Amino acid sequence: MPKHLHSFRPAFLLLPLGAALLVGCLEQVPGLGPDPRTVIRENEAKAIGSACRHAMRGIEDCYTLNPKAPKAMVFAGWKDMDAYMREHKLEGTPSVFTQKPEVAKPRAEEDIETEYNSPRS
């Protein structure tokens, strides 16, 4: 065999290896990774799901309160928080937003002291 053909074989073998190593770096190159708006939206949806679980809301309530959030990411956040709370034996905090406010009883006219309630002199 001619000597000049042997020098190209190692280069051809290293080419796929080099390409495989560079594929892992594509996410770090600006413009080649996922759209930042998509990443932000997914992270917000996971945070919504986590907050819903911590507020002791069911996943269906969470979907209803946040119709624009991607349901898969909301569920992922809810499930992650559920696992975390079970692992660390944490109790949820009831949401103040969903609790019915106490209705203040209107006071009777006799209970309010005004200058007209006292006898006029």
Side-chain angles (χ1 to χ4, degrees):
M1 272 189 122
K3 188 175 184 176
H4 66 279
L5 291 178
H6 290 289
S7 62
F8 289 111
R9 281 190 192 165
F12 285 123
L13 294 175
L14 291 177
L15 185 63
L17 178 64
L21 290 174
L22 288 176
V23 168
C25 299
L26 289 179
E27 291 181 8
Q28 297 174 358
V29 177
L32 294 180
D35 185 18
R37 292 173 291 188
T38 304
V39 173
I40 290 170
R41 187 170 181 221
E42 289 176 354
N43 288 339
E44 286 178 354
K46 285 181 86 169
I48 288 169
S50 295
C52 283
R53 173 58 185 102
H54 190 265
M56 298 180 357
R57 286 194 189 111
I59 191 69
E60 296 83 13
D61 295 339
C62 196
Y63 291 153
T64 303
L65 291 171
N66 304 286
K68 292 184 180 180
K71 290 182 179 178
M73 292 291 114
V74 170
F75 178 70
W78 193 93
K79 186 174 72 171
D80 290 346
M81 179 58 85
D82 184 59
Y84 178 83
M85 290 174 70
R86 287 176 191 266
E87 180 182 337
H88 296 285
K89 298 178 181 164
L90 297 174
E91 295 295 323
T93 306
S95 173
V96 177
F97 177 70
T98 57
Q99 293 177 354
K100 294 181 181 178
E102 290 184 22
V103 179
K105 295 179 183 176
R107 296 189 331 182
E109 288 293 324
E110 301 86 40
D111 294 342
I112 300 173
E113 289 187 34
T114 63
E115 59 187 70
Y116 300 110
N117 282 355
S118 58
R120 294 186 185 177
S121 22

